[in-house]
Amino acid sequence: MIPESDLESKAVYDQQLSELKQAFGTFDTDGSGTIAKDELQACLNKMGVHPTPAELDHLYQSMDKDGDGVITFQEFLTVMTDEFEEAELEHELEEMKQFFTMMDKDGSGRLSPEELKNAISAMGVSIRDDECRYLCQQMIMKGGQPLSSPDDQEGGEVPQGISFNDFATFLLKYEDH
């Protein structure tokens, strides 16, 4: 039996794919199954976007991944998927920034172990001071890698606190684990 969440994901995927096929059809005015440069320009113009010839060439070349002079549905799908993923990441980062700012009670732009512990406790999760310090150390980046040994920080302290970049990098890296 397929889990309900997988069925919901498939339904969302099918809906998005249907919408992208419809959008592709809007650009593919001659029904050839591909989008020619003149079709792209006409559709953009209808939407009130009037790129210069150089801008249109750049846009078209960025979409025509195989360079054959037409944009296939697969190429269109790739570009649109990349755009959706980028927008989704931007939205996720904005939510993280709001959450980070809410936890940063002193407004320093960095989370102290106490601020992190208070936020975790407010969510109903019990965490000891040493566990919180360890979590902070793992979030603070050193050369692109989480701190991993006592030599990285003296006495297990977190003197500067956690920056938003370290916080977001940590959450994005471990959100699927």
Side-chain angles (χ1 to χ4, degrees):
M1 176 149 197
I2 299 172
E4 188 173 322
S5 62
D6 288 348
L7 291 175
E8 290 171 7
S9 295
K10 181 170 179 359
V12 169
Y13 171 79
D14 289 346
Q15 175 65 29
Q16 290 172 337
L17 187 60
S18 175
E19 290 171 4
L20 288 170
K21 284 180 181 177
Q22 186 177 1
F24 182 82
T26 302
F27 284 90
D28 179 20
T29 57
D30 67 2
S32 66
T34 61
I35 301 171
K37 191 184 294 186
D38 63 325
E39 291 175 307
L40 178 63
Q41 182 174 14
C43 196
L44 290 173
N45 289 344
K46 283 181 188 176
M47 294 187 302
V49 178
H50 302 281
T52 66
E55 290 170 334
L56 181 64
D57 285 344
H58 178 73
L59 175 62
Y60 198 78
Q61 288 172 2
S62 71
M63 294 178 78
D64 181 15
K65 301 293 186 188
D66 63 8
D68 66 353
V70 293
I71 300 168
T72 63
F73 178 68
Q74 187 60 45
E75 290 169 324
F76 182 80
L77 185 61
T78 299
V79 169
M80 297 308 291
T81 300
D82 290 348
E83 292 294 322
F84 286 143
E85 288 174 358
E86 186 175 316
E88 188 175 299
L89 178 60
E90 286 177 16
H91 177 72
E92 194 171 348
L93 285 172
E94 183 57 36
E95 287 180 343
M96 283 184 200
K97 183 65 172 175
Q98 291 173 359
F99 185 58
F100 182 88
T101 301
M102 185 178 70
M103 291 189 303
D104 182 18
K105 296 295 184 189
D106 66 5
S108 66
R110 294 187 167 274
L111 295 180
S112 69
E114 295 79 25
E115 289 171 324
L116 184 62
K117 183 177 181 180
N118 290 339
I120 291 171
S121 296
M123 291 185 281
V125 177
S126 177
I127 186 168
R128 297 186 322 258
D129 288 344
D130 61 323
E131 292 171 324
C132 190
R133 277 192 307 278
Y134 177 77
L135 181 58
C136 289
Q137 289 173 333
Q138 293 305 303
M139 285 187 188
I140 295 175
M141 304 302 283
K142 180 177 181 183
Q145 297 297 316
L147 301 174
S148 58
S149 74
D151 297 334
D152 289 337
Q153 291 256 337
E154 293 181 22
E157 295 300 315
V158 186
Q160 297 176 4
I162 304 163
S163 70
F164 172 71
N165 286 342
D166 290 341
F167 177 77
T169 299
F170 181 84
L171 292 181
L172 290 171
K173 184 174 182 179
Y174 295 104
E175 73 180 342
D176 293 328
H177 296 153

